[in-house]
Every structure is written in structure tokens, then in C-alpha cells.
Amino acid sequence: MATTAYDVIVIGAGPGGYVAAIRAAQLGKKVAIVEREHLGGICLNWGCIPTKALLRSSEVFHLMHRAKEFGLSATKIDFDLNAVVKRSRQVAGQLSGGIGHLMKKNKITVLMGQAHLPAKGRVTVKTEKTVEELTTPAIILATGARARELPGLEADGERVWTYKHALNPPHMPKKLLVIGSGAIGIEFASFYNTLGAETTVVEVMDRVLPVEDVEISKFAKKQFVKQGMKIMEKAMVKKLDRSKSKVVAHIETGGKVETMEFDTVISAVGIVGNVEDLGLEALGVKLDRTHVVVDEYCRTGVDGLFAIGDIAGAPWLAHKASHEGVMVAELIAGGKPHPVRPESIAGCTYCTPQVASVGYTEAKAKELGYEIKVGRFPFMGNGKAIALGEPEGMVKTVFDAKTGELLGAHMVGAEVTELIQGYVVGRQLETTEEDLMNTVFPHPTLSEMMHESILDAYGRVIHM
């Protein structure tokens, strides 16, 4: 069997893999990328992009009901779930097709099939028709992850769903249980709750959105409850009794188990890395709870083998995967890129209200021994927020009291997923409180709250 040699082989064509392939090609490398399912991976096809399309539909639906507040009239407001889902799938399909164009443009060989690593520097790809034999000095693993399924809570696609089922639902939930209040769980809870589902969220930790700053979590919870959600914290779903038309959930809270009836359950209890059937153990790759152990440059410890994105551990974010892909491609090409710093990667959750953050929470900064200054500013004090009819929210900043370094920024409210990048750039440029206070923010914008929060940390807030 003929063997084809490449400079770089990327396994997985999600936001980590396809970006790594493009950057390697830009650097003059002969590149092949292997994908077993969809170009664009989970993020583009079944995650980041289609969920945002769904959430946009629910956002517009919500605003239509508020028409009177804006001096407008809207009657007989309704939705067609099939049409909402169709639009979401069309958006995903359009972008997936775009990835194929980018591969062609950059002269990257695309192989659709299952990859296996029989030895160092070798990859076999089982396609529909044949088995391809490839060799390379550099392999980048970007196989991503999938939904974690707990025993007894496994999805069936009818009454119990994972994110995939929730993106292409067989029915509109009337009474919905969401297990897990991380980004995936709370986004679907927000979407279906806005469309009218009676929604209950169960979270095993002591608060929803547990990775966020405590103040932000508490503020978001109040808004979720105000919207009609039932939030159960320090709670665990022990068992699901299923029938054709309903699911009875056994939920433990406070040492007692109660039963609640739902017609639909969404399980969003985390992810597991796609590490099976690749031959990693035989190569000597170390795994930790289904994720590949890597160093700061995504090296696995096996010469010429790298792992990026979700398979390489937290934070499980598409933009982290993409940046790691660029870093590894440049490393392979002989460059000296900076390692990716997880604490400088923003997290964004597209529920209503939106939540965004970067860096250390107030609690984490204290735990690390920093003497801190904390600033806050409410949306209610911002003219643009009031004009938009979005007065509920806050911006919080955490500084090192000794150096003025911006340690963290945390937001909840309208469009904060767009605002957070200002603080991300600030951290990347290692700006201090003086730099940020002397920056002129345009008026009227939501971004002015970022400035006011900084001023508040140093006793100089103007509009509060």
C-alpha cells in the first residue's frame, strides 16, 4: 500500500484543528487534516454557532413581547420551532461549507475517515472506500470532546436529551428539567424558558454558573428566577423513571429525595474527551480522566505529537482551541510563540442575561494571596443601557492593589460577551489601572461601564 508523506497531519477539523491546519499551511507546510464527521467540528455544527442562532430567535421573541415598552405594537406573537431550528441548521451548514473552501484555498488535503496512530509519526485513515497510510514528523490531535452521560441519566433522544437533541428537538418541551448549570445547560434553559417551557435547573454545586464570580452568579440567578425558572442548587438527580410521555426525576436536596415530573430532560453534566481508538496508550500518551496530559506548549511527551482544544483539558472553549492550534503550528515551523495562558482566556455564556469573564474571580485572587481592589458599576447607571431597555446588569473589576494589574473582570447583562474583549486586550497588554482610567471610552456606549468600574475600584467613580 502506498504511503503519503506530510509535514503536518491534523486529526480533527473543529475550531482547533482546522485553524492549526491553516496556520501550518500559511507557514509553508504540506498539511493533511483528518475528520470523521463534520468540517468545523462540534462547535460549528452542534455547539457554539447553532446554539447562538437559536438564542437569537428566542431573544427576538422576547423583545417582541416587550414591544409596548418601546412604543411599538406587536400582536398574535408566536413561534414555529421547526422554522427556528431550520434557520439554526442553515447557519451551521453555511459555515461548515466555508471551512471546506478554506481547506481548498490553503491547499490542505482533507481526508474524511477514522484516524489511528499505529506508531510514532504514522497515521492510518479508514475512509468509506479504503485505508490511507500517512507519515509525518508532526501530528496535532484535535479530536475534541462529547457530552458526558451519567449512569441512569443516559440520553434516549425522545424524553432525555443531550445538546445535540436539544439543537434539533423532536418536540417543544412543556415542562423541562435541565441537569447542570454550566454554559451549555443554562443556555438551553434560557432558550426553552423564553419560548414558554416551564423550566427547572438542577445544579450539584452551591450556585448556578459555578465557575463565575460569586456576585455574578447570584445576580444571574435572580434574573433567571425573575424570568420564571426554578433553580435548585446543591441538588442531584439520582434517577430518571421514563415512560412514553413523561420522565419522573428523583432529585436529592438537603439529604431528602423528592420526585418531580417532566416531559423533557436535558443532561448537561460536562464532557469527556474523544481519546478512544486512536492508539494513544500504546504510544505512551498520558491520559487524565479522558483528557490528554500536555505541557504549556501542548506537547504530549511523545516526540512530534501535540494535543490541542477540548481533548487537552480546560478551559473547554473554541477560541482557546484555535489559539493553541496557531501556537502549535508556529512551534512546529520553528517559531517561538508565547504559550496560551488559561487565565487570560475569556469565558462567555449566552443566556439572558449574558455572562462574560476573564482572569481571576475575587475569591481566587484572594486565595492566591493578592491584596485587591474591587470596582463595580451597575447597568442602571449607564445611559445606553437604559435607552436599550436593558437596565439589569453589572460590571465588576478586580485589581492588584500593589501594582495596579487587572487581575480579573466579570460581567452580567446585555451584550457583555462583546464587551469582555476590552478587558482581555488590557490583560494581554499588561495595562495598569492608570492606563485604563486614562483611556477615553465613547459615549453613549455600554463600554462606559467598564471605565466606571475601574474608577470605582479606586474611589473615583463618576456616575454612581
Side-chain angles (χ1 to χ4, degrees):
M1 183 181 292
T3 300
T4 308
Y6 291 92
D7 297 323
V8 181
I9 297 174
V10 182
I11 300 174
Y18 84 74
V19 169
I22 290 172
R23 184 64 185 131
Q26 289 175 342
L27 292 167
K29 301 298 181 181
K30 181 183 178 182
V31 183
I33 190 165
V34 183
E35 171 57 48
R36 68 180 180 183
E37 196 170 7
H38 306 290
L39 293 179
I42 291 297
C43 174
L44 195 153
N45 292 280
W46 294 103
C48 320
I49 301 303
T51 54
K52 303 312 159 290
L54 290 182
L55 286 160
R56 178 59 173 165
S57 292
S58 66
E59 178 186 4
V60 173
F61 184 67
H62 172 69
L63 287 172
M64 290 169 70
H65 281 87
R66 295 178 58 196
K68 192 174 181 180
E69 294 178 36
F70 299 92
L72 306 173
S73 177
T75 59
K76 297 182 180 179
I77 302 167
D78 202 356
F79 66 89
D80 180 341
L81 184 60
N82 289 333
V84 169
V85 171
K86 182 179 179 181
R87 176 180 179 273
S88 170
R89 302 314 309 154
Q90 286 174 336
V91 169
Q94 178 182 340
L95 291 173
S96 182
I99 302 302
H101 169 73
L102 290 172
M103 297 297 99
K104 186 175 181 180
K105 175 187 174 183
N106 288 280
K107 298 180 174 58
I108 297 165
T109 300
V110 177
L111 296 167
M112 299 301 296
Q114 175 67 48
H116 182 76
L117 282 62
K120 188 176 73 172
R122 290 181 55 210
V123 178
T124 60
V125 183
K126 186 178 180 181
T127 68
E128 286 186 356
K129 297 180 179 179
T130 185
V131 175
E132 302 277 349
E133 295 273 359
L134 316 175
T135 61
T136 181
I139 299 171
I140 303 175
L141 294 172
T143 53
R146 61 187 184 278
R148 180 186 300 277
E149 296 198 75
L150 299 179
L153 309 183
E154 296 91 349
D156 54 41
E158 292 297 325
R159 294 294 163 189
V160 183
W161 302 346
T162 65
Y163 62 86
K164 276 195 175 184
H165 305 117
L167 278 165
N168 194 8
H171 60 266
M172 172 64 198
K174 293 180 180 178
K175 194 170 182 181
L176 172 66
L177 169 64
V178 178
I179 308 173
S181 73
I184 295 173
I186 212 68
E187 285 184 2
F188 280 120
S190 191
F191 171 73
Y192 283 110
N193 186 72
T194 300
L195 294 187
E198 184 182 334
T199 305
T200 298
V201 178
V202 170
E203 171 56 53
V204 70
M205 303 295 284
D206 61 355
R207 56 193 172 90
V208 293
L209 297 167
V211 302
E212 301 295 341
D213 185 88
V214 172
E215 277 188 88
I216 300 299
S217 291
K218 289 181 176 179
F219 190 101
K221 178 187 174 181
K222 288 181 180 178
Q223 298 306 306
F224 299 150
V225 172
K226 189 175 178 181
Q227 294 161 19
M229 287 189 206
K230 180 177 182 179
I231 306 293
M232 300 178 68
E233 296 161 328
K234 292 185 181 178
M236 181 181 294
V237 179
K238 305 294 289 186
K239 186 172 68 167
L240 297 175
D241 295 330
R242 315 173 194 216
S243 66
K244 189 174 182 179
S245 61
K246 67 180 181 180
V247 179
V248 176
H250 298 251
I251 304 173
E252 181 180 349
T253 179
K256 298 180 180 179
V257 177
E258 62 177 306
T259 59
M260 298 176 66
E261 188 176 300
F262 303 90
D263 64 68
T264 309
V265 177
I266 297 176
S267 178
V269 292
I271 62 173
V272 293
N274 293 321
V275 295
E276 301 88 353
D277 304 320
L278 290 167
L280 300 183
E281 294 88 345
L283 286 175
V285 174
K286 294 180 181 178
L287 302 178
D288 179 18
R289 290 170 291 180
T290 77
H291 297 284
V292 175
V293 177
V294 297
D295 68 6
E296 62 181 349
Y297 287 101
C298 296
R299 295 175 293 212
T300 65
V302 176
D303 188 41
L305 183 62
F306 302 82
I308 64 173
D310 287 356
I311 194 179
W316 295 293
L317 300 166
H319 43 289
K320 173 249 194 186
S322 295
H323 203 76
E324 286 177 338
V326 170
M327 176 190 71
V328 169
E330 292 180 352
L331 197 65
I332 290 169
K336 296 181 179 179
H338 294 291
V340 177
R341 295 187 301 158
E343 68 274 12
S344 291
I345 298 171
C348 297
T349 305
Y350 298 81
C351 46
T352 302
Q354 293 181 3
V355 175
S357 60
V358 66
Y360 302 131
T361 63
E362 180 180 354
K364 185 65 176 179
K366 289 178 179 177
E367 180 187 320
L368 291 172
Y370 287 100
E371 181 184 339
I372 62 173
K373 286 184 178 290
V374 179
R376 301 170 182 83
F377 195 81
F379 272 49
M380 185 63 79
N382 178 261
K384 179 66 178 294
I386 294 171
L388 289 174
E390 301 288 355
E392 300 293 339
M394 69 176 290
V395 177
K396 177 177 180 177
T397 45
V398 182
F399 289 90
D400 183 339
K402 295 180 180 178
T403 67
E405 178 189 356
L406 176 64
L407 298 175
H410 311 276
M411 307 176 176
V412 55
E415 303 304 329
V416 298
T417 57
E418 298 292 339
L419 294 180
I420 194 64
Q421 186 61 17
Y423 286 134
V424 174
V425 172
R427 278 181 57 79
Q428 184 67 22
L429 297 178
E430 299 182 348
T431 53
T432 65
E433 93 288 359
E434 184 177 356
D435 298 320
L436 293 166
M437 285 194 283
N438 288 328
T439 299
V440 180
F441 287 71
H443 174 80
T445 65
L446 297 176
S447 69
E448 290 175 278
M449 292 183 288
M450 299 167 64
H451 192 217
E452 293 274 15
S453 178
I454 297 157
L455 294 173
D456 183 55
Y458 289 85
R460 292 177 51 180
V461 67
I462 301 296
H463 291 98
M464 182 174 67

